[in-house]
mmCIF file with all atom_site columns, all heavy atoms in Angstrom:
data_model
loop_
_atom_site.group_PDB
_atom_site.id
_atom_site.type_symbol
_atom_site.label_atom_id
_atom_site.label_alt_id
_atom_site.label_comp_id
_atom_site.label_asym_id
_atom_site.label_entity_id
_atom_site.label_seq_id
_atom_site.pdbx_PDB_ins_code
_atom_site.Cartn_x
_atom_site.Cartn_y
_atom_site.Cartn_z
_atom_site.occupancy
_atom_site.B_iso_or_equiv
_atom_site.pdbx_formal_charge
_atom_site.auth_seq_id
_atom_site.auth_comp_id
_atom_site.auth_asym_id
_atom_site.auth_atom_id
_atom_site.pdbx_PDB_model_num
ATOM 1   N N   . GLU A 1 21 ? -271.575 -98.951  207.834 1.00 0.00 ? 21 GLU A N   1
ATOM 2   C CA  . GLU A 1 21 ? -272.782 -99.159  207.042 1.00 0.00 ? 21 GLU A CA  1
ATOM 3   C C   . GLU A 1 21 ? -272.631 -98.689  205.613 1.00 0.00 ? 21 GLU A C   1
ATOM 4   O O   . GLU A 1 21 ? -273.087 -99.338  204.672 1.00 0.00 ? 21 GLU A O   1
ATOM 5   C CB  . GLU A 1 21 ? -273.941 -98.448  207.703 1.00 0.00 ? 21 GLU A CB  1
ATOM 6   C CG  . GLU A 1 21 ? -275.274 -98.648  207.034 1.00 0.00 ? 21 GLU A CG  1
ATOM 7   C CD  . GLU A 1 21 ? -276.430 -97.882  207.778 1.00 0.00 ? 21 GLU A CD  1
ATOM 8   O OE1 . GLU A 1 21 ? -276.150 -97.284  208.824 1.00 0.00 ? 21 GLU A OE1 1
ATOM 9   O OE2 . GLU A 1 21 ? -277.557 -97.936  207.275 1.00 0.00 ? 21 GLU A OE2 1
ATOM 10  N N   . ARG A 1 22 ? -272.030 -97.530  205.441 1.00 0.00 ? 22 ARG A N   1
ATOM 11  C CA  . ARG A 1 22 ? -271.848 -96.997  204.082 1.00 0.00 ? 22 ARG A CA  1
ATOM 12  C C   . ARG A 1 22 ? -270.834 -97.861  203.271 1.00 0.00 ? 22 ARG A C   1
ATOM 13  O O   . ARG A 1 22 ? -270.999 -97.936  202.072 1.00 0.00 ? 22 ARG A O   1
ATOM 14  C CB  . ARG A 1 22 ? -271.320 -95.547  204.198 1.00 0.00 ? 22 ARG A CB  1
ATOM 15  C CG  . ARG A 1 22 ? -272.279 -94.624  204.858 1.00 0.00 ? 22 ARG A CG  1
ATOM 16  C CD  . ARG A 1 22 ? -271.727 -93.192  204.911 1.00 0.00 ? 22 ARG A CD  1
ATOM 17  N NE  . ARG A 1 22 ? -272.678 -92.264  205.620 1.00 0.00 ? 22 ARG A NE  1
ATOM 18  C CZ  . ARG A 1 22 ? -272.466 -90.978  205.742 1.00 0.00 ? 22 ARG A CZ  1
ATOM 19  N NH1 . ARG A 1 22 ? -271.373 -90.428  205.248 1.00 0.00 ? 22 ARG A NH1 1
ATOM 20  N NH2 . ARG A 1 22 ? -273.424 -90.263  206.379 1.00 0.00 ? 22 ARG A NH2 1
ATOM 21  N N   . LEU A 1 23 ? -269.860 -98.410  203.946 1.00 0.00 ? 23 LEU A N   1
ATOM 22  C CA  . LEU A 1 23 ? -268.914 -99.284  203.237 1.00 0.00 ? 23 LEU A CA  1
ATOM 23  C C   . LEU A 1 23 ? -269.404 -100.732 203.075 1.00 0.00 ? 23 LEU A C   1
ATOM 24  O O   . LEU A 1 23 ? -268.809 -101.539 202.401 1.00 0.00 ? 23 LEU A O   1
ATOM 25  C CB  . LEU A 1 23 ? -267.550 -99.301  204.006 1.00 0.00 ? 23 LEU A CB  1
ATOM 26  C CG  . LEU A 1 23 ? -266.738 -98.056  203.975 1.00 0.00 ? 23 LEU A CG  1
ATOM 27  C CD1 . LEU A 1 23 ? -265.558 -98.195  204.904 1.00 0.00 ? 23 LEU A CD1 1
ATOM 28  C CD2 . LEU A 1 23 ? -266.289 -97.776  202.506 1.00 0.00 ? 23 LEU A CD2 1
ATOM 29  N N   . GLU A 1 24 ? -270.517 -101.016 203.746 1.00 0.00 ? 24 GLU A N   1
ATOM 30  C CA  . GLU A 1 24 ? -271.121 -102.330 203.684 1.00 0.00 ? 24 GLU A CA  1
ATOM 31  C C   . GLU A 1 24 ? -270.154 -103.404 204.290 1.00 0.00 ? 24 GLU A C   1
ATOM 32  O O   . GLU A 1 24 ? -269.980 -104.446 203.739 1.00 0.00 ? 24 GLU A O   1
ATOM 33  C CB  . GLU A 1 24 ? -271.618 -102.757 202.320 1.00 0.00 ? 24 GLU A CB  1
ATOM 34  C CG  . GLU A 1 24 ? -272.690 -101.764 201.772 1.00 0.00 ? 24 GLU A CG  1
ATOM 35  C CD  . GLU A 1 24 ? -273.164 -102.192 200.381 1.00 0.00 ? 24 GLU A CD  1
ATOM 36  O OE1 . GLU A 1 24 ? -272.524 -103.029 199.759 1.00 0.00 ? 24 GLU A OE1 1
ATOM 37  O OE2 . GLU A 1 24 ? -274.191 -101.646 199.948 1.00 0.00 ? 24 GLU A OE2 1
ATOM 38  N N   . ILE A 1 25 ? -269.520 -103.024 205.364 1.00 0.00 ? 25 ILE A N   1
ATOM 39  C CA  . ILE A 1 25 ? -268.658 -103.959 206.097 1.00 0.00 ? 25 ILE A CA  1
ATOM 40  C C   . ILE A 1 25 ? -268.968 -103.878 207.579 1.00 0.00 ? 25 ILE A C   1
ATOM 41  O O   . ILE A 1 25 ? -269.782 -103.034 208.017 1.00 0.00 ? 25 ILE A O   1
ATOM 42  C CB  . ILE A 1 25 ? -267.144 -103.601 205.857 1.00 0.00 ? 25 ILE A CB  1
ATOM 43  C CG1 . ILE A 1 25 ? -266.830 -102.191 206.380 1.00 0.00 ? 25 ILE A CG1 1
ATOM 44  C CG2 . ILE A 1 25 ? -266.773 -103.738 204.403 1.00 0.00 ? 25 ILE A CG2 1
ATOM 45  C CD1 . ILE A 1 25 ? -265.354 -101.801 206.263 1.00 0.00 ? 25 ILE A CD1 1
ATOM 46  N N   . GLY A 1 26 ? -268.351 -104.707 208.383 1.00 0.00 ? 26 GLY A N   1
ATOM 47  C CA  . GLY A 1 26 ? -268.596 -104.695 209.814 1.00 0.00 ? 26 GLY A CA  1
ATOM 48  C C   . GLY A 1 26 ? -267.875 -103.558 210.514 1.00 0.00 ? 26 GLY A C   1
ATOM 49  O O   . GLY A 1 26 ? -266.798 -103.107 210.040 1.00 0.00 ? 26 GLY A O   1
ATOM 50  N N   . GLN A 1 27 ? -268.415 -103.181 211.683 1.00 0.00 ? 27 GLN A N   1
ATOM 51  C CA  . GLN A 1 27 ? -267.756 -102.078 212.469 1.00 0.00 ? 27 GLN A CA  1
ATOM 52  C C   . GLN A 1 27 ? -266.323 -102.531 212.864 1.00 0.00 ? 27 GLN A C   1
ATOM 53  O O   . GLN A 1 27 ? -265.438 -101.688 212.986 1.00 0.00 ? 27 GLN A O   1
ATOM 54  C CB  . GLN A 1 27 ? -268.576 -101.743 213.658 1.00 0.00 ? 27 GLN A CB  1
ATOM 55  C CG  . GLN A 1 27 ? -268.008 -100.608 214.482 1.00 0.00 ? 27 GLN A CG  1
ATOM 56  C CD  . GLN A 1 27 ? -268.920 -100.175 215.658 1.00 0.00 ? 27 GLN A CD  1
ATOM 57  O OE1 . GLN A 1 27 ? -270.088 -100.547 215.733 1.00 0.00 ? 27 GLN A OE1 1
ATOM 58  N NE2 . GLN A 1 27 ? -268.351 -99.473  216.605 1.00 0.00 ? 27 GLN A NE2 1
ATOM 59  N N   . THR A 1 28 ? -266.166 -103.821 213.125 1.00 0.00 ? 28 THR A N   1
ATOM 60  C CA  . THR A 1 28 ? -264.842 -104.313 213.498 1.00 0.00 ? 28 THR A CA  1
ATOM 61  C C   . THR A 1 28 ? -263.792 -104.049 212.400 1.00 0.00 ? 28 THR A C   1
ATOM 62  O O   . THR A 1 28 ? -262.637 -103.728 212.689 1.00 0.00 ? 28 THR A O   1
ATOM 63  C CB  . THR A 1 28 ? -264.892 -105.833 213.806 1.00 0.00 ? 28 THR A CB  1
ATOM 64  O OG1 . THR A 1 28 ? -265.849 -106.039 214.875 1.00 0.00 ? 28 THR A OG1 1
ATOM 65  C CG2 . THR A 1 28 ? -263.494 -106.316 214.227 1.00 0.00 ? 28 THR A CG2 1
ATOM 66  N N   . ALA A 1 29 ? -264.255 -104.203 211.153 1.00 0.00 ? 29 ALA A N   1
ATOM 67  C CA  . ALA A 1 29 ? -263.338 -103.991 210.011 1.00 0.00 ? 29 ALA A CA  1
ATOM 68  C C   . ALA A 1 29 ? -262.945 -102.521 209.969 1.00 0.00 ? 29 ALA A C   1
ATOM 69  O O   . ALA A 1 29 ? -261.786 -102.196 209.659 1.00 0.00 ? 29 ALA A O   1
ATOM 70  C CB  . ALA A 1 29 ? -264.025 -104.422 208.728 1.00 0.00 ? 29 ALA A CB  1
ATOM 71  N N   . VAL A 1 30 ? -263.865 -101.594 210.251 1.00 0.00 ? 30 VAL A N   1
ATOM 72  C CA  . VAL A 1 30 ? -263.565 -100.197 210.241 1.00 0.00 ? 30 VAL A CA  1
ATOM 73  C C   . VAL A 1 30 ? -262.543 -99.910  211.383 1.00 0.00 ? 30 VAL A C   1
ATOM 74  O O   . VAL A 1 30 ? -261.591 -99.135  211.211 1.00 0.00 ? 30 VAL A O   1
ATOM 75  C CB  . VAL A 1 30 ? -264.793 -99.334  210.437 1.00 0.00 ? 30 VAL A CB  1
ATOM 76  C CG1 . VAL A 1 30 ? -264.448 -97.872  210.646 1.00 0.00 ? 30 VAL A CG1 1
ATOM 77  C CG2 . VAL A 1 30 ? -265.697 -99.536  209.241 1.00 0.00 ? 30 VAL A CG2 1
ATOM 78  N N   . SER A 1 31 ? -262.790 -100.511 212.552 1.00 0.00 ? 31 SER A N   1
ATOM 79  C CA  . SER A 1 31 ? -261.856 -100.350 213.682 1.00 0.00 ? 31 SER A CA  1
ATOM 80  C C   . SER A 1 31 ? -260.466 -100.753 213.300 1.00 0.00 ? 31 SER A C   1
ATOM 81  O O   . SER A 1 31 ? -259.481 -100.102 213.666 1.00 0.00 ? 31 SER A O   1
ATOM 82  C CB  . SER A 1 31 ? -262.385 -101.077 214.867 1.00 0.00 ? 31 SER A CB  1
ATOM 83  O OG  . SER A 1 31 ? -261.500 -100.974 215.975 1.00 0.00 ? 31 SER A OG  1
ATOM 84  N N   . LYS A 1 32 ? -260.346 -101.887 212.604 1.00 0.00 ? 32 LYS A N   1
ATOM 85  C CA  . LYS A 1 32 ? -259.042 -102.390 212.185 1.00 0.00 ? 32 LYS A CA  1
ATOM 86  C C   . LYS A 1 32 ? -258.362 -101.441 211.193 1.00 0.00 ? 32 LYS A C   1
ATOM 87  O O   . LYS A 1 32 ? -257.141 -101.189 211.262 1.00 0.00 ? 32 LYS A O   1
ATOM 88  C CB  . LYS A 1 32 ? -259.163 -103.777 211.547 1.00 0.00 ? 32 LYS A CB  1
ATOM 89  C CG  . LYS A 1 32 ? -259.467 -104.879 212.541 1.00 0.00 ? 32 LYS A CG  1
ATOM 90  C CD  . LYS A 1 32 ? -259.606 -106.181 211.860 1.00 0.00 ? 32 LYS A CD  1
ATOM 91  C CE  . LYS A 1 32 ? -259.851 -107.347 212.861 1.00 0.00 ? 32 LYS A CE  1
ATOM 92  N NZ  . LYS A 1 32 ? -259.987 -108.653 212.163 1.00 0.00 ? 32 LYS A NZ  1
ATOM 93  N N   . LEU A 1 33 ? -259.181 -100.869 210.293 1.00 0.00 ? 33 LEU A N   1
ATOM 94  C CA  . LEU A 1 33 ? -258.627 -99.840  209.327 1.00 0.00 ? 33 LEU A CA  1
ATOM 95  C C   . LEU A 1 33 ? -258.004 -98.676  210.074 1.00 0.00 ? 33 LEU A C   1
ATOM 96  O O   . LEU A 1 33 ? -256.992 -98.155  209.756 1.00 0.00 ? 33 LEU A O   1
ATOM 97  C CB  . LEU A 1 33 ? -259.699 -99.384  208.329 1.00 0.00 ? 33 LEU A CB  1
ATOM 98  C CG  . LEU A 1 33 ? -260.133 -100.355 207.241 1.00 0.00 ? 33 LEU A CG  1
ATOM 99  C CD1 . LEU A 1 33 ? -261.310 -99.775  206.462 1.00 0.00 ? 33 LEU A CD1 1
ATOM 100 C CD2 . LEU A 1 33 ? -258.982 -100.584 206.255 1.00 0.00 ? 33 LEU A CD2 1
ATOM 101 N N   . GLU A 1 34 ? -258.736 -98.275  211.117 1.00 0.00 ? 34 GLU A N   1
ATOM 102 C CA  . GLU A 1 34 ? -258.321 -97.069  211.850 1.00 0.00 ? 34 GLU A CA  1
ATOM 103 C C   . GLU A 1 34 ? -257.154 -97.320  212.803 1.00 0.00 ? 34 GLU A C   1
ATOM 104 O O   . GLU A 1 34 ? -256.688 -96.405  213.482 1.00 0.00 ? 34 GLU A O   1
ATOM 105 C CB  . GLU A 1 34 ? -259.524 -96.484  212.607 1.00 0.00 ? 34 GLU A CB  1
ATOM 106 C CG  . GLU A 1 34 ? -260.593 -95.893  211.681 1.00 0.00 ? 34 GLU A CG  1
ATOM 107 C CD  . GLU A 1 34 ? -261.727 -95.224  212.429 1.00 0.00 ? 34 GLU A CD  1
ATOM 108 O OE1 . GLU A 1 34 ? -261.758 -95.367  213.686 1.00 0.00 ? 34 GLU A OE1 1
ATOM 109 O OE2 . GLU A 1 34 ? -262.580 -94.661  211.789 1.00 0.00 ? 34 GLU A OE2 1
ATOM 110 N N   . SER A 1 35 ? -256.746 -98.575  212.857 1.00 0.00 ? 35 SER A N   1
ATOM 111 C CA  . SER A 1 35 ? -255.584 -98.882  213.712 1.00 0.00 ? 35 SER A CA  1
ATOM 112 C C   . SER A 1 35 ? -254.334 -99.251  212.919 1.00 0.00 ? 35 SER A C   1
ATOM 113 O O   . SER A 1 35 ? -253.284 -99.501  213.449 1.00 0.00 ? 35 SER A O   1
ATOM 114 C CB  . SER A 1 35 ? -255.915 -100.070 214.628 1.00 0.00 ? 35 SER A CB  1
ATOM 115 O OG  . SER A 1 35 ? -256.160 -101.266 213.869 1.00 0.00 ? 35 SER A OG  1
ATOM 116 N N   . ARG A 1 36 ? -254.467 -99.207  211.550 1.00 0.00 ? 36 ARG A N   1
ATOM 117 C CA  . ARG A 1 36 ? -253.327 -99.558  210.744 1.00 0.00 ? 36 ARG A CA  1
ATOM 118 C C   . ARG A 1 36 ? -252.424 -98.346  210.500 1.00 0.00 ? 36 ARG A C   1
ATOM 119 O O   . ARG A 1 36 ? -252.877 -97.215  210.548 1.00 0.00 ? 36 ARG A O   1
ATOM 120 C CB  . ARG A 1 36 ? -253.833 -100.074 209.372 1.00 0.00 ? 36 ARG A CB  1
ATOM 121 C CG  . ARG A 1 36 ? -254.642 -101.361 209.476 1.00 0.00 ? 36 ARG A CG  1
ATOM 122 C CD  . ARG A 1 36 ? -254.936 -101.929 208.135 1.00 0.00 ? 36 ARG A CD  1
ATOM 123 N NE  . ARG A 1 36 ? -253.672 -102.200 207.405 1.00 0.00 ? 36 ARG A NE  1
ATOM 124 C CZ  . ARG A 1 36 ? -253.644 -102.847 206.220 1.00 0.00 ? 36 ARG A CZ  1
ATOM 125 N NH1 . ARG A 1 36 ? -254.782 -103.287 205.676 1.00 0.00 ? 36 ARG A NH1 1
ATOM 126 N NH2 . ARG A 1 36 ? -252.498 -103.053 205.619 1.00 0.00 ? 36 ARG A NH2 1
ATOM 127 N N   . ARG A 1 37 ? -251.151 -98.684  210.285 1.00 0.00 ? 37 ARG A N   1
ATOM 128 C CA  . ARG A 1 37 ? -250.164 -97.610  210.037 1.00 0.00 ? 37 ARG A CA  1
ATOM 129 C C   . ARG A 1 37 ? -250.135 -97.163  208.591 1.00 0.00 ? 37 ARG A C   1
ATOM 130 O O   . ARG A 1 37 ? -249.751 -96.071  208.270 1.00 0.00 ? 37 ARG A O   1
ATOM 131 C CB  . ARG A 1 37 ? -248.804 -98.095  210.432 1.00 0.00 ? 37 ARG A CB  1
ATOM 132 C CG  . ARG A 1 37 ? -248.639 -98.382  211.913 1.00 0.00 ? 37 ARG A CG  1
ATOM 133 C CD  . ARG A 1 37 ? -247.212 -98.720  212.292 1.00 0.00 ? 37 ARG A CD  1
ATOM 134 N NE  . ARG A 1 37 ? -246.318 -97.587  212.021 1.00 0.00 ? 37 ARG A NE  1
ATOM 135 C CZ  . ARG A 1 37 ? -244.968 -97.636  212.231 1.00 0.00 ? 37 ARG A CZ  1
ATOM 136 N NH1 . ARG A 1 37 ? -244.438 -98.751  212.740 1.00 0.00 ? 37 ARG A NH1 1
ATOM 137 N NH2 . ARG A 1 37 ? -244.235 -96.567  211.977 1.00 0.00 ? 37 ARG A NH2 1
ATOM 138 N N   . ASP A 1 38 ? -250.579 -98.096  207.698 1.00 0.00 ? 38 ASP A N   1
ATOM 139 C CA  . ASP A 1 38 ? -250.677 -97.742  206.258 1.00 0.00 ? 38 ASP A CA  1
ATOM 140 C C   . ASP A 1 38 ? -251.801 -98.466  205.652 1.00 0.00 ? 38 ASP A C   1
ATOM 141 O O   . ASP A 1 38 ? -252.402 -99.392  206.223 1.00 0.00 ? 38 ASP A O   1
ATOM 142 C CB  . ASP A 1 38 ? -249.291 -98.042  205.555 1.00 0.00 ? 38 ASP A CB  1
ATOM 143 C CG  . ASP A 1 38 ? -248.932 -99.506  205.703 1.00 0.00 ? 38 ASP A CG  1
ATOM 144 O OD1 . ASP A 1 38 ? -249.828 -100.331 205.999 1.00 0.00 ? 38 ASP A OD1 1
ATOM 145 O OD2 . ASP A 1 38 ? -247.726 -99.809  205.561 1.00 0.00 ? 38 ASP A OD2 1
ATOM 146 N N   . LEU A 1 39 ? -252.216 -97.983  204.470 1.00 0.00 ? 39 LEU A N   1
ATOM 147 C CA  . LEU A 1 39 ? -253.375 -98.576  203.747 1.00 0.00 ? 39 LEU A CA  1
ATOM 148 C C   . LEU A 1 39 ? -253.086 -98.497  202.267 1.00 0.00 ? 39 LEU A C   1
ATOM 149 O O   . LEU A 1 39 ? -252.337 -97.691  201.755 1.00 0.00 ? 39 LEU A O   1
ATOM 150 C CB  . LEU A 1 39 ? -254.616 -97.728  203.987 1.00 0.00 ? 39 LEU A CB  1
ATOM 151 C CG  . LEU A 1 39 ? -255.282 -97.802  205.419 1.00 0.00 ? 39 LEU A CG  1
ATOM 152 C CD1 . LEU A 1 39 ? -256.358 -96.699  205.529 1.00 0.00 ? 39 LEU A CD1 1
ATOM 153 C CD2 . LEU A 1 39 ? -255.900 -99.157  205.621 1.00 0.00 ? 39 LEU A CD2 1
ATOM 154 N N   . HIS A 1 40 ? -253.729 -99.489  201.536 1.00 0.00 ? 40 HIS A N   1
ATOM 155 C CA  . HIS A 1 40 ? -253.693 -99.414  200.093 1.00 0.00 ? 40 HIS A CA  1
ATOM 156 C C   . HIS A 1 40 ? -254.478 -98.164  199.660 1.00 0.00 ? 40 HIS A C   1
ATOM 157 O O   . HIS A 1 40 ? -255.457 -97.774  200.354 1.00 0.00 ? 40 HIS A O   1
ATOM 158 C CB  . HIS A 1 40 ? -254.370 -100.660 199.453 1.00 0.00 ? 40 HIS A CB  1
ATOM 159 C CG  . HIS A 1 40 ? -253.581 -101.914 199.592 1.00 0.00 ? 40 HIS A CG  1
ATOM 160 N ND1 . HIS A 1 40 ? -252.302 -102.056 198.968 1.00 0.00 ? 40 HIS A ND1 1
ATOM 161 C CD2 . HIS A 1 40 ? -253.805 -103.076 200.268 1.00 0.00 ? 40 HIS A CD2 1
ATOM 162 C CE1 . HIS A 1 40 ? -251.840 -103.240 199.302 1.00 0.00 ? 40 HIS A CE1 1
ATOM 163 N NE2 . HIS A 1 40 ? -252.724 -103.873 200.029 1.00 0.00 ? 40 HIS A NE2 1
ATOM 164 N N   . VAL A 1 41 ? -254.060 -97.573  198.585 1.00 0.00 ? 41 VAL A N   1
ATOM 165 C CA  . VAL A 1 41 ? -254.731 -96.344  198.070 1.00 0.00 ? 41 VAL A CA  1
ATOM 166 C C   . VAL A 1 41 ? -256.185 -96.653  197.834 1.00 0.00 ? 41 VAL A C   1
ATOM 167 O O   . VAL A 1 41 ? -257.071 -95.804  198.142 1.00 0.00 ? 41 VAL A O   1
ATOM 168 C CB  . VAL A 1 41 ? -254.056 -95.854  196.805 1.00 0.00 ? 41 VAL A CB  1
ATOM 169 C CG1 . VAL A 1 41 ? -254.866 -94.734  196.161 1.00 0.00 ? 41 VAL A CG1 1
ATOM 170 C CG2 . VAL A 1 41 ? -252.653 -95.328  197.094 1.00 0.00 ? 41 VAL A CG2 1
ATOM 171 N N   . SER A 1 42 ? -256.497 -97.804  197.267 1.00 0.00 ? 42 SER A N   1
ATOM 172 C CA  . SER A 1 42 ? -257.919 -98.147  197.002 1.00 0.00 ? 42 SER A CA  1
ATOM 173 C C   . SER A 1 42 ? -258.783 -98.154  198.298 1.00 0.00 ? 42 SER A C   1
ATOM 174 O O   . SER A 1 42 ? -259.891 -97.653  198.307 1.00 0.00 ? 42 SER A O   1
ATOM 175 C CB  . SER A 1 42 ? -258.041 -99.506  196.308 1.00 0.00 ? 42 SER A CB  1
ATOM 176 O OG  . SER A 1 42 ? -257.431 -100.520 197.125 1.00 0.00 ? 42 SER A OG  1
ATOM 177 N N   . LYS A 1 43 ? -258.220 -98.698  199.388 1.00 0.00 ? 43 LYS A N   1
ATOM 178 C CA  . LYS A 1 43 ? -258.929 -98.689  200.650 1.00 0.00 ? 43 LYS A CA  1
ATOM 179 C C   . LYS A 1 43 ? -259.103 -97.267  201.195 1.00 0.00 ? 43 LYS A C   1
ATOM 180 O O   . LYS A 1 43 ? -260.134 -96.920  201.736 1.00 0.00 ? 43 LYS A O   1
ATOM 181 C CB  . LYS A 1 43 ? -258.200 -99.562  201.677 1.00 0.00 ? 43 LYS A CB  1
ATOM 182 C CG  . LYS A 1 43 ? -258.283 -101.028 201.407 1.00 0.00 ? 43 LYS A CG  1
ATOM 183 C CD  . LYS A 1 43 ? -259.658 -101.552 201.618 1.00 0.00 ? 43 LYS A CD  1
ATOM 184 C CE  . LYS A 1 43 ? -259.801 -103.085 201.445 1.00 0.00 ? 43 LYS A CE  1
ATOM 185 N NZ  . LYS A 1 43 ? -261.188 -103.541 201.565 1.00 0.00 ? 43 LYS A NZ  1
#
Side-chain angles (χ1 to χ4, degrees):
E21 181 180 358
R22 296 180 182 184
L23 289 173
E24 299 181 347
I25 60 177
Q27 183 176 343
T28 302
V30 173
S31 179
K32 288 181 178 179
L33 284 174
E34 292 184 353
S35 64
R36 296 189 57 172
R37 297 186 61 181
D38 55 23
L39 288 169
H40 288 296
V41 171
S42 58
K43 287 293 184 183

